[in-house]
Amino acid sequence: MMFKNFFKNNTKMTTENTTNDEIVDQTPIENNEIDSDALDAGIEERVEEISREEQLSQDLASEKDKFLRLFAEFENFKRRTAKERIELFKTANQDVLQSMLPVLDDFDRALTEIKKTDDNVLIQGVELIQEKLKNTLFSKGLAEVELKAGDAFDADFAEAITQIPAPSDKLKGKIVDVIEKGYKLGDKIIRFPKVVIGQ
């Protein structure tokens, strides 16, 4: 009888334990299901946040690239227009200066003829006016092309109007006389000097 009671109690305990185990086991399963749903939702949110961040990073990089390209183009534009403006300033007076060159030639011819007289006051007056005109034109960028008799002839810097027999062997193929002075504006020759060369 005692053995029966013990067995009965043991069975009862086993049944209770089993029931308790099932309850204990069921509870974590339910909790696991809830946690996994919450985790899935959290992971999805994080993935969405990361993809949003990646998208924003890509957009930012794209806009930054556009900005840098635009900035570079603007810098190139500024340099190009500055260079064009400098070139324009250098050559803006070209027409006016070219129209004044015959006046300079006339002054040279007049001074050559006046020097044949003995009137020193007249010579000084004409020289003063000629120097004033030259200085004004030279301050605007005009410069004389330096050539003289005996220099080697270069077709890039002078215009040969005629050839004559060379007075000496040294002047063969060289400039014998400069008939008309040449002038340049900056680095550009606006009137080539006219020369006679020896052959």
Side-chain angles (χ1 to χ4, degrees):
M1 187 147 180
M2 192 169 147
F3 182 71
K4 253 184 182 181
N5 283 340
F6 175 75
F7 185 71
K8 201 176 188 185
N9 284 342
N10 210 0
T11 308
K12 190 177 176 185
M13 276 175 58
T14 306
T15 310
E16 284 174 6
N17 284 346
T18 306
T19 309
N20 283 343
D21 284 345
E22 284 175 8
I23 291 169
V24 168
D25 284 346
Q26 283 176 359
T27 307
I29 288 170
E30 288 172 10
N31 285 344
N32 281 347
E33 286 173 5
I34 292 167
D35 286 344
S36 76
D37 288 344
L39 281 174
D40 286 346
I43 289 170
E44 283 177 21
E45 281 179 29
R46 281 198 175 170
V47 167
E48 281 180 31
E49 283 178 22
I50 290 169
S51 65
R52 267 192 243 132
E53 284 178 16
E54 285 175 1
Q55 184 64 39
L56 289 173
S57 296
Q58 288 174 358
D59 290 348
L60 180 63
S62 172
E63 292 301 319
K64 188 176 181 181
D65 184 55
K66 283 181 189 174
F67 170 75
L68 290 175
R69 287 175 188 274
L70 186 64
F71 183 74
E73 282 180 32
F74 181 67
E75 285 298 313
N76 289 338
F77 171 76
K78 274 182 14 184
R79 274 191 226 110
R80 190 170 53 251
T81 52
K83 187 178 178 183
E84 287 170 1
R85 188 178 297 156
I86 289 168
E87 289 298 319
L88 182 65
F89 285 147
K90 281 183 182 176
T91 58
N93 298 331
Q94 183 172 337
D95 290 338
V96 175
L97 292 174
Q98 273 182 317
S99 64
M100 294 300 292
L101 296 181
V103 178
L104 279 176
D105 294 337
D106 290 343
F107 263 108
D108 287 337
R109 287 187 206 103
L111 198 57
T112 303
E113 292 301 316
I114 291 171
K115 282 184 179 177
K116 292 177 182 175
T117 67
D118 292 334
D119 194 346
N120 287 335
V121 177
L122 180 62
I123 293 170
Q124 286 177 353
V126 173
E127 281 178 344
L128 184 67
I129 296 168
Q130 183 190 31
E131 281 303 310
K132 198 172 196 179
L133 178 62
K134 274 187 179 179
N135 290 337
T136 303
L137 297 177
F138 289 173
S139 71
K140 301 299 179 188
L142 187 71
E144 198 173 312
V145 176
E146 299 288 333
L147 276 181
K148 61 185 183 300
D151 288 348
F153 174 71
D154 186 351
D156 291 333
F157 297 102
E159 180 184 338
I161 56 169
T162 189
Q163 290 183 344
I164 61 168
S168 67
D169 288 340
K170 288 181 181 178
L171 291 175
K172 280 190 177 179
K174 294 191 177 178
I175 297 170
V176 176
D177 192 18
V178 179
I179 304 298
E180 188 177 74
K181 291 180 182 177
Y183 293 94
K184 58 185 179 177
L185 182 59
D187 294 329
K188 181 182 177 185
I189 296 177
I190 59 173
R191 187 175 83 180
F192 286 92
K194 291 180 173 59
V195 298
V196 176
I197 57 173
Q199 72 178 138

